[in-house]
């Protein structure tokens, strides 16, 4: 059983009627809804508005993979909670950061770069699989068409990814590293660009397949209960001569 926490800022859906019409139960409700159909997954949700953003030490302790969507309240996100997520990732918790979460405190901390990019409203995307052997791309065609999406373009200021599983092409001419994997400490991280809140992208079956695959790939293979620390080795493995 993989314990998944789907975290969503849940601000746009409450502020704008057109976005609520797309995601009446919030982006978290949509994602949790399709993940719950998978008997291997145990899914809970949390949002920005809850105390400690719903991501207490106890919740993260019981989370194998955290899915994270944010945009409008990134600056107001509590530093202490961002630090807590980072600590859990270093100890092995998996993290899937979606769309504008590239600019969250959590991702900035874990990546250590500016995380900036170029963007434009109102485009369409062709999402190419650029690592067909990767488990996150399992069962997918060579590319998928996303009829309406916000353009995210290069240069994307990220550290060098472990793998670029998806590359997006936009009708306006830009390209983007739309699906990237990273390793931090014991934790596996997948950043996935599609998912602007105005468009029903998380209802698309291939996108749901990508997220299901990503949850399984991000499942920790090893998890430590304490943080990484520097250990003095007082007894050498061999006599030193
Ligand atoms: Zn967006």
């Amino acid at each position: 059983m993989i314990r998944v926490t789907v975290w969503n800022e849940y601000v746009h859906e409450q502020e704008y009627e057109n976005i609520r019409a797309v995601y009446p139960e919030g982006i978290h409700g949509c994602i949790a809804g399709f993940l719950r159909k998978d008997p291997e997954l145990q899914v809970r949700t949390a949002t920005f508005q809850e105390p400690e953003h719903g991501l207490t030490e106890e919740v993260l302790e019981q989370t194998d993979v955290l899915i994270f969507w944010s945009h409008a309240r990134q600056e107001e996100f509590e530093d202490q909670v961002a630090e807590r997520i980072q600590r859990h990732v270093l100890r092995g918790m998996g993290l899937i950061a979606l769309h504008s979460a590239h600019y969250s405190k959590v991702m900035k901390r874990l990546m250590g770069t500016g995380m900036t990019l170029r963007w434009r409203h109102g485009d369409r995307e062709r999402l190419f699989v650029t690592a067909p052997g990767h488990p996150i791309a399992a069962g997918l065609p060579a590319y998928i068409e996303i009829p309406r999406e916000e353009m995210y373009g290069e240069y994307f200021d990220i550290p060098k990814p472990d793998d670029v599983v998806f590359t997006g092409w936009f009708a306006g001419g830009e390209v983007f590293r739309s699906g990237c994997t990273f390793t931090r400490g014991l934790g596996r991280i997948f950043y996935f660009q599609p998912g602007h809140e105005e468009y029903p992208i998380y209802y698309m079956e291939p996108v749901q397949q990508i997220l299901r695959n990503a949850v399984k790939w991000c499942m920790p293979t090893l998890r430590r209960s304490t943080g990484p620390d520097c250990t003095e080795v007082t007894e050498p493995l061999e006599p030193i001569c």
Side-chain angles (χ1 to χ4, degrees):
M1 187 68 79
I2 304 176
R3 299 164 302 173
V4 183
T5 299
V6 182
W7 188 88
N8 176 25
E9 191 178 82
Y10 197 33
V11 169
H12 295 309
E13 299 95 319
Q14 301 190 73
E15 283 184 352
Y16 299 103
E17 204 167 311
N18 64 317
I19 295 167
R20 190 160 54 245
V22 178
Y23 292 110
E25 291 166 27
I27 287 174
H28 56 299
C30 171
I31 293 174
F34 69 77
L35 290 179
R36 283 188 178 122
K37 292 177 187 160
D38 188 326
E40 287 180 50
L41 310 182
Q42 189 182 80
V43 183
R44 69 161 97 192
T45 63
T47 60
F48 180 87
Q49 297 80 8
E50 296 170 40
E52 299 181 55
H53 308 313
L55 298 173
T56 60
E57 195 67 53
E58 195 187 359
V59 168
L60 293 184
E61 199 60 59
Q62 295 167 4
T63 298
D64 296 314
V65 180
L66 174 66
I67 299 181
F68 195 90
W69 195 104
S70 66
H71 184 229
R73 299 288 182 275
Q74 323 233 66
E75 280 310 305
E76 290 98 310
F77 196 90
E78 288 176 34
D79 290 323
Q80 186 194 332
V81 181
E83 186 275 331
R84 182 183 296 155
I85 295 169
Q86 178 187 29
R87 183 158 37 81
H88 278 268
V89 170
L90 295 178
R91 293 175 186 181
M93 184 181 76
L95 173 68
I96 299 172
L98 297 174
H99 191 58
S100 35
H102 72 92
Y103 215 55
S104 61
K105 285 183 181 176
V106 171
M107 281 299 276
K108 284 178 177 174
R109 272 176 172 271
L110 282 162
M111 298 292 110
T113 51
M115 303 305 288
T116 49
L117 46 73
R118 296 154 67 81
W119 64 277
R120 178 178 62 245
H121 279 138
D123 209 309
R124 69 183 166 88
E125 180 174 10
R126 187 170 296 144
L127 187 74
F128 288 88
V129 174
T130 43
H134 198 285
I136 298 180
L140 291 167
Y143 61 86
I144 64 172
E145 301 278 1
I146 302 177
R148 296 197 72 195
E149 176 57 306
E150 183 178 42
M151 185 281 288
Y152 274 15
E154 298 284 347
Y155 176 64
F156 185 21
D157 186 21
I158 49 173
K160 189 175 176 182
D162 293 342
D163 282 297
V164 180
V165 187
F166 301 101
T167 300
W169 168 88
F170 291 85
E174 289 86 356
V175 293
F176 192 68
R177 287 168 289 171
S178 293
C180 299
T181 62
F182 305 90
T183 311
R184 291 292 182 271
L186 294 177
R188 290 178 169 189
I189 300 170
F190 178 54
Y191 170 74
F192 188 58
Q193 162 268 315
H196 182 66
E197 66 277 4
E198 291 176 289
Y199 312 126
I201 291 166
Y202 296 121
Y203 294 97
M204 294 177 62
E205 174 47 39
V207 169
Q208 297 185 356
Q209 181 66 40
I210 290 166
L211 294 183
R212 276 192 298 269
N213 290 346
V215 164
K216 289 170 190 179
W217 181 80
C218 284
M219 171 69 183
T221 50
L222 180 63
R223 193 139 183 201
R224 272 192 295 233
S225 55
T226 57
D229 50 18
C230 296
T231 308
E232 183 188 4
V233 182
T234 50
E235 293 294 323
L237 301 178
E238 303 285 344
I240 298 168
C241 52

